PDB file of all heavy atoms in Angstrom:
ATOM      1  N   GLU A 107     -66.888  31.634   6.187  1.00 97.00           N
ATOM      2  CA  GLU A 107     -66.193  31.536   7.427  1.00 97.00           C
ATOM      3  C   GLU A 107     -64.704  31.495   7.184  1.00 97.00           C
ATOM      4  O   GLU A 107     -64.197  30.662   6.408  1.00 97.00           O
ATOM      5  CB  GLU A 107     -66.673  30.232   8.134  1.00 97.00           C
ATOM      6  CG  GLU A 107     -65.997  30.001   9.498  1.00 97.00           C
ATOM      7  CD  GLU A 107     -66.554  28.697  10.110  1.00 97.00           C
ATOM      8  OE1 GLU A 107     -67.699  28.685  10.620  1.00 97.00           O
ATOM      9  OE2 GLU A 107     -65.777  27.735  10.104  1.00 97.00           O
ATOM     10  N   LEU A 108     -64.021  32.401   7.884  1.00 97.00           N
ATOM     11  CA  LEU A 108     -62.535  32.436   7.753  1.00 97.00           C
ATOM     12  C   LEU A 108     -61.939  31.816   9.018  1.00 97.00           C
ATOM     13  O   LEU A 108     -62.474  32.088  10.137  1.00 97.00           O
ATOM     14  CB  LEU A 108     -62.048  33.862   7.608  1.00 97.00           C
ATOM     15  CG  LEU A 108     -62.658  34.690   6.442  1.00 97.00           C
ATOM     16  CD1 LEU A 108     -62.133  36.103   6.476  1.00 97.00           C
ATOM     17  CD2 LEU A 108     -62.404  33.980   5.150  1.00 97.00           C
ATOM     18  N   SER A 109     -60.858  31.104   8.900  1.00 97.00           N
ATOM     19  CA  SER A 109     -60.255  30.473  10.113  1.00 97.00           C
ATOM     20  C   SER A 109     -58.769  30.269   9.871  1.00 97.00           C
ATOM     21  O   SER A 109     -58.191  30.744   8.913  1.00 97.00           O
ATOM     22  CB  SER A 109     -60.905  29.134  10.379  1.00 97.00           C
ATOM     23  OG  SER A 109     -60.817  28.230   9.286  1.00 97.00           O
ATOM     24  N   ARG A 110     -58.139  29.554  10.802  1.00 96.00           N
ATOM     25  CA  ARG A 110     -56.656  29.254  10.780  1.00 96.00           C
ATOM     26  C   ARG A 110     -55.822  30.497  10.766  1.00 96.00           C
ATOM     27  O   ARG A 110     -55.113  30.731   9.817  1.00 96.00           O
ATOM     28  CB  ARG A 110     -56.287  28.290   9.705  1.00 96.00           C
ATOM     29  CG  ARG A 110     -57.061  26.976   9.760  1.00 96.00           C
ATOM     30  CD  ARG A 110     -56.551  25.989   8.793  1.00 96.00           C
ATOM     31  NE  ARG A 110     -57.379  24.826   8.831  1.00 96.00           N
ATOM     32  CZ  ARG A 110     -57.278  23.814   7.974  1.00 96.00           C
ATOM     33  NH1 ARG A 110     -56.438  23.900   6.980  1.00 96.00           N
ATOM     34  NH2 ARG A 110     -58.096  22.735   8.074  1.00 96.00           N
ATOM     35  N   LEU A 111     -55.901  31.242  11.837  1.00 96.00           N
ATOM     36  CA  LEU A 111     -55.040  32.451  11.967  1.00 96.00           C
ATOM     37  C   LEU A 111     -53.621  32.112  11.968  1.00 96.00           C
ATOM     38  O   LEU A 111     -53.122  31.179  12.673  1.00 96.00           O
ATOM     39  CB  LEU A 111     -55.405  33.216  13.263  1.00 96.00           C
ATOM     40  CG  LEU A 111     -56.620  34.138  13.203  1.00 96.00           C
ATOM     41  CD1 LEU A 111     -56.949  34.593  14.594  1.00 96.00           C
ATOM     42  CD2 LEU A 111     -56.356  35.310  12.242  1.00 96.00           C
ATOM     43  N   GLN A 112     -52.803  32.823  11.260  1.00 94.00           N
ATOM     44  CA  GLN A 112     -51.343  32.756  11.207  1.00 94.00           C
ATOM     45  C   GLN A 112     -50.742  34.067  11.498  1.00 94.00           C
ATOM     46  O   GLN A 112     -51.158  35.067  10.900  1.00 94.00           O
ATOM     47  CB  GLN A 112     -50.846  32.256   9.845  1.00 94.00           C
ATOM     48  CG  GLN A 112     -51.237  30.846   9.480  1.00 94.00           C
ATOM     49  CD  GLN A 112     -50.457  29.820  10.367  1.00 94.00           C
ATOM     50  OE1 GLN A 112     -49.267  29.954  10.436  1.00 94.00           O
ATOM     51  NE2 GLN A 112     -51.137  28.825  10.819  1.00 94.00           N
ATOM     52  N   ARG A 113     -49.785  34.129  12.411  1.00 91.00           N
ATOM     53  CA  ARG A 113     -49.122  35.423  12.721  1.00 91.00           C
ATOM     54  C   ARG A 113     -48.005  35.688  11.713  1.00 91.00           C
ATOM     55  O   ARG A 113     -47.258  34.796  11.311  1.00 91.00           O
ATOM     56  CB  ARG A 113     -48.531  35.331  14.142  1.00 91.00           C
ATOM     57  CG  ARG A 113     -49.658  35.428  15.129  1.00 91.00           C
ATOM     58  CD  ARG A 113     -49.244  35.795  16.541  1.00 91.00           C
ATOM     59  NE  ARG A 113     -48.187  36.790  16.773  1.00 91.00           N
ATOM     60  CZ  ARG A 113     -48.395  38.064  16.807  1.00 91.00           C
ATOM     61  NH1 ARG A 113     -49.545  38.593  16.617  1.00 91.00           N
ATOM     62  NH2 ARG A 113     -47.361  38.894  17.067  1.00 91.00           N
ATOM     63  N   ARG A 114     -47.883  36.929  11.333  1.00 86.00           N
ATOM     64  CA  ARG A 114     -46.781  37.403  10.548  1.00 86.00           C
ATOM     65  C   ARG A 114     -46.318  38.712  11.227  1.00 86.00           C
ATOM     66  O   ARG A 114     -47.041  39.731  11.145  1.00 86.00           O
ATOM     67  CB  ARG A 114     -47.169  37.737   9.115  1.00 86.00           C
ATOM     68  CG  ARG A 114     -47.405  36.462   8.260  1.00 86.00           C
ATOM     69  CD  ARG A 114     -45.998  35.829   8.004  1.00 86.00           C
ATOM     70  NE  ARG A 114     -46.105  34.751   7.079  1.00 86.00           N
ATOM     71  CZ  ARG A 114     -45.979  33.473   7.376  1.00 86.00           C
ATOM     72  NH1 ARG A 114     -45.900  33.134   8.613  1.00 86.00           N
ATOM     73  NH2 ARG A 114     -46.065  32.580   6.436  1.00 86.00           N
TER      74      ARG A 114
END
Side-chain angles (χ1 to χ4, degrees):
E107 183 179 282
L108 306 178
S109 60
R110 297 187 188 172
L111 277 171
Q112 292 286 317
R113 288 196 37 85
R114 285 290 189 256

